[in-house]
Amino acid sequence: MAKYIIAHDVGTSVSKAALVDTEGKVHGTCSETYPVHYPRAGWAEQQPEDFWGVVTRTTRKILENTSISPKDILCVTFSTQMLGIIPMSPRNVPLRPAIIWLDNRAGRQADRIMRKFISPGLFAAIAGARLCGKDGLPKLLWLKEEEPEIYQKMHCFLDVGGYLLFRSTGKMAMDWTEGSVFALDLKKKAWLETVIKYIGLDPRKFPPLLSSISKVGELTDEAAKEYGLLQGTPVIAGAGDAPCAAVGAGAVGEGDGHIYLGTSGWVAVVTERMPTGKCGIAAIHSADPTRAFLFAESETAGACLQWIADQFYKAEKQDPNIPNVYALMDDKVGEIPPGSGHLIFTPWLYGERAPVADCYVRSSFLNMSAEHSREHLLRAVYEGVAYNIRWIVEIIENEFKFPLPTLRAIGGGARGGPWMQIIADVTNRRIESVYDPQEAGAVGVALVAAVGLGIYPNFASLKKVVRVEKVFEPNPENLEIYNSLFNSYKEAYHSLRDFYIKLNKQRIETCM
């Protein structure tokens, strides 16, 4: 009799439940959306109860839709958005809405923390990147300074994954991948208490830590009823979305790299080394307890395509004869030659983390003229995200000495062949998209849980489980134009960096 894992991929606006067997095959999915609230400019919050409601409802629906018995469920596990902060009271209830990763309220606190280490430049040299208002420690310091009553009442904070683990088992916990985006010693697997105290925070308010493959506990009677599962069903910790996605991409060996194209995007590499981040690229913990994870996040990737669809293809989106506007956009991209008529788009709608750590930079169309059509702008958006990816890949190769001739591709964007070919051409790398690339997060965390359950002996054994569906080789005929425009793309940032700071710094900080 087949056995299954309930894997939840809890993103920024959509949560997906997947029924995954022990060989990584998806037998059913169920998704629900939930809102992001923007109470002030630069702020982004969500209700913790929305996270819990969506994972329990989608679990019940997937069991109903697949007619799978609860007794055939091996465990529940979670892949979640990272960098969330949910302050929990001594009675174990949230004290305020979750401050999520997209939130940029703590810019002043980030600057002050870096000045405690003499200067932002020195801090970046030590830590690998400057802090910004989106980072976890500055947000905790903001909570202490701007909402002191909540900070004082806070027994500990949890992130999104930790909150779901608590609601499922009654136990407070944070896995190593999530902890490493706050203040985890990668080698000792413990909180950096000296650093936490030095910047003015209380280490006692940080939750207990465990590995991604750990069994946190079992479903309580109350949680089991809400899930529609059996009391005592094991709950495996799981990990942050990016480390889970690496597993779902099959990028689990030394130096294996992958790219993710969802609302945000990233390039990541798994390694046995314990490197220090640099150039805006963070070194966090992998879902594999023995490895670290080089993680270069771009704030907006697929969001750029969503933006141009919303703003330039409104009529097509509303046309009942066009079931998928993104498929239409893929077709339209092919009408424009590579290089988009020397039009460059910078994909920094919400600021950027990598390849440049800059909260103030924004998107632009550069070199636009009367000869450019709507479709030129469209292709420029596809190419702009690809330039960003190439910049990150070159930093990883040059600064960290990881050659990346091949990259696995996952996420919703990996379903689009034209975009994959553009990325292969711009980066001059072989791109391999996996089966069900949009399910990589759920499949990845299910396989993490399978290692935790002892079904697989280690993460290396998972490489054979994930299959490649399509391969995109770079077209050498497009290399010259993309090399030229890529250099112009980088030059554009360096030329306009001070302009963006002047334009946006006061506006953003006034709203903090």
Side-chain angles (χ1 to χ4, degrees), residues 108-228:
R108 292 193 184 97
Q109 286 76 16
D111 289 343
R112 195 177 318 124
I113 289 172
M114 290 187 291
R115 286 198 298 272
K116 289 180 77 74
F117 291 86
I118 302 178
S119 72
L122 180 59
F123 181 91
I126 296 171
R130 296 188 181 209
L131 286 175
C132 78
K134 294 182 177 181
D135 286 309
L137 292 179
K139 287 175 183 172
L140 287 169
L141 195 58
W142 180 94
L143 192 69
K144 178 182 178 182
E145 295 173 352
E146 301 297 328
E147 296 182 354
E149 290 186 5
I150 289 177
Y151 182 83
Q152 292 303 321
K153 290 179 183 177
M154 181 174 71
H155 169 63
C156 80
F157 78 93
L158 297 173
D159 61 354
V160 176
Y163 180 73
L164 293 171
L165 294 173
F166 168 72
R167 289 296 298 268
S168 299
T169 67
K171 297 181 180 179
M172 299 278 187
M174 182 179 286
D175 87 279
W176 292 342
T177 70
E178 304 274 13
S180 64
V181 299
F182 286 94
L184 179 76
D185 185 317
L186 295 182
K187 294 180 180 179
K188 296 181 180 179
K189 322 294 187 189
W191 292 119
L192 291 163
E193 292 195 7
T194 302
V195 172
I196 292 168
K197 290 177 181 177
Y198 181 66
I199 65 175
L201 295 170
D202 184 352
R204 294 172 297 181
K205 295 182 182 290
F206 283 60
L209 292 161
L210 39 68
S211 76
S212 299
I213 62 174
S214 296
K215 177 182 173 182
V216 179
E218 299 173 342
L219 290 183
T220 64
D221 181 49
E222 180 181 356
K225 289 177 181 176
E226 294 196 60
Y227 277 115

Side-chain angles (χ1 to χ4, degrees), residues 17-146:
L19 185 73
V20 186
D21 67 23
T22 56
E23 294 182 352
K25 182 179 179 181
V26 177
H27 291 263
T29 63
C30 181
S31 300
E32 278 194 25
T33 62
Y34 40 86
V36 179
H37 303 285
Y38 302 97
R40 296 175 64 177
W43 292 24
E45 299 181 347
Q46 292 181 296
Q47 292 295 335
E49 192 60 34
D50 286 347
F51 301 134
W52 178 243
V54 75
V55 300
T56 53
R57 285 193 301 272
T58 53
T59 298
R60 293 195 303 270
K61 288 179 182 177
I62 206 170
L63 291 173
E64 179 182 349
N65 294 343
T66 60
S67 300
I68 296 296
S69 170
K71 64 180 173 51
D72 293 324
I73 302 303
L74 293 170
C75 70
V76 176
T77 191
F78 305 97
S79 166
T80 59
Q81 54 168 291
M82 303 177 78
L83 276 171
I85 294 174
I86 303 174
M88 301 294 290
S89 77
R91 295 188 176 184
N92 297 328
V93 296
L95 291 165
R96 71 173 326 280
I99 303 172
I100 66 168
W101 68 274
L102 194 57
D103 189 285
N104 190 31
R105 73 183 64 191
R108 292 193 184 97
Q109 286 76 16
D111 289 343
R112 195 177 318 124
I113 289 172
M114 290 187 291
R115 286 198 298 272
K116 289 180 77 74
F117 291 86
I118 302 178
S119 72
L122 180 59
F123 181 91
I126 296 171
R130 296 188 181 209
L131 286 175
C132 78
K134 294 182 177 181
D135 286 309
L137 292 179
K139 287 175 183 172
L140 287 169
L141 195 58
W142 180 94
L143 192 69
K144 178 182 178 182
E145 295 173 352
E146 301 297 328

Side-chain angles (χ1 to χ4, degrees), residues 128-460:
R130 296 188 181 209
L131 286 175
C132 78
K134 294 182 177 181
D135 286 309
L137 292 179
K139 287 175 183 172
L140 287 169
L141 195 58
W142 180 94
L143 192 69
K144 178 182 178 182
E145 295 173 352
E146 301 297 328
E147 296 182 354
E149 290 186 5
I150 289 177
Y151 182 83
Q152 292 303 321
K153 290 179 183 177
M154 181 174 71
H155 169 63
C156 80
F157 78 93
L158 297 173
D159 61 354
V160 176
Y163 180 73
L164 293 171
L165 294 173
F166 168 72
R167 289 296 298 268
S168 299
T169 67
K171 297 181 180 179
M172 299 278 187
M174 182 179 286
D175 87 279
W176 292 342
T177 70
E178 304 274 13
S180 64
V181 299
F182 286 94
L184 179 76
D185 185 317
L186 295 182
K187 294 180 180 179
K188 296 181 180 179
K189 322 294 187 189
W191 292 119
L192 291 163
E193 292 195 7
T194 302
V195 172
I196 292 168
K197 290 177 181 177
Y198 181 66
I199 65 175
L201 295 170
D202 184 352
R204 294 172 297 181
K205 295 182 182 290
F206 283 60
L209 292 161
L210 39 68
S211 76
S212 299
I213 62 174
S214 296
K215 177 182 173 182
V216 179
E218 299 173 342
L219 290 183
T220 64
D221 181 49
E222 180 181 356
K225 289 177 181 176
E226 294 196 60
Y227 277 115
L229 295 171
L230 299 179
Q231 180 184 3
T233 300
V235 178
I236 305 298
D241 50 10
C244 287
V247 180
V252 293
E254 176 64 20
D256 283 353
H258 80 274
I259 58 175
Y260 167 80
L261 293 167
T263 301
S264 62
W266 62 68
V267 181
V269 176
V270 174
T271 176
E272 292 177 344
R273 308 179 207 168
M274 292 295 169
T276 299
K278 63 179 75 172
C279 303
I281 298 176
I284 65 174
H285 209 289
S286 169
D288 184 340
T290 68
R291 295 179 186 267
F293 190 70
L294 283 175
F295 178 53
E297 181 194 5
S298 291
E299 296 285 54
T300 50
C304 296
L305 269 64
Q306 181 179 346
W307 173 82
I308 199 165
D310 291 344
Q311 303 303 324
F312 290 84
Y313 288 83
K314 287 182 180 179
E316 288 85 349
K317 287 186 72 175
Q318 296 170 1
D319 188 339
N321 297 316
I322 301 175
N324 187 338
V325 71
Y326 294 101
L328 171 69
M329 288 160 54
D330 281 350
D331 290 339
K332 292 292 185 181
V333 159
E335 298 176 2
I336 304 300
S340 303
H342 283 72
L343 178 66
I344 293 175
F345 172 76
T346 63
W348 305 316
L349 291 172
Y350 294 113
E352 191 53 288
R353 286 185 177 271
V356 292
D358 190 333
C359 290
Y360 304 112
V361 70
R362 290 295 181 269
S363 293
S364 300
F365 284 101
L366 302 171
N367 203 38
M368 186 163 59
S369 70
E371 71 184 58
H372 291 121
S373 67
R374 178 182 69 163
E375 277 62 47
H376 283 92
L377 272 67
L378 176 66
R379 186 176 181 104
V381 169
Y382 280 66
E383 291 174 340
V385 176
Y387 295 140
N388 227 42
I389 291 170
R390 174 171 170 174
W391 197 350
I392 293 170
V393 168
E394 292 190 355
I395 291 171
I396 290 172
E397 291 188 330
N398 295 332
E399 298 293 333
F400 294 94
K401 309 305 179 186
F402 286 107
L404 295 173
T406 300
L407 290 162
R408 291 284 176 91
I410 58 171
R415 296 180 302 171
W419 202 11
M420 291 298 96
Q421 188 60 54
I422 286 171
I423 291 173
D425 290 349
V426 168
T427 62
N428 198 33
R429 267 78 177 177
R430 173 188 174 103
I431 304 296
E432 299 176 342
S433 64
V434 304
Y435 282 88
D436 292 328
Q438 205 164 6
E439 313 300 340
V443 170
V445 76
L447 294 175
V448 170
V451 174
L453 294 171
I455 296 169
Y456 294 96
N458 51 43
F459 279 74

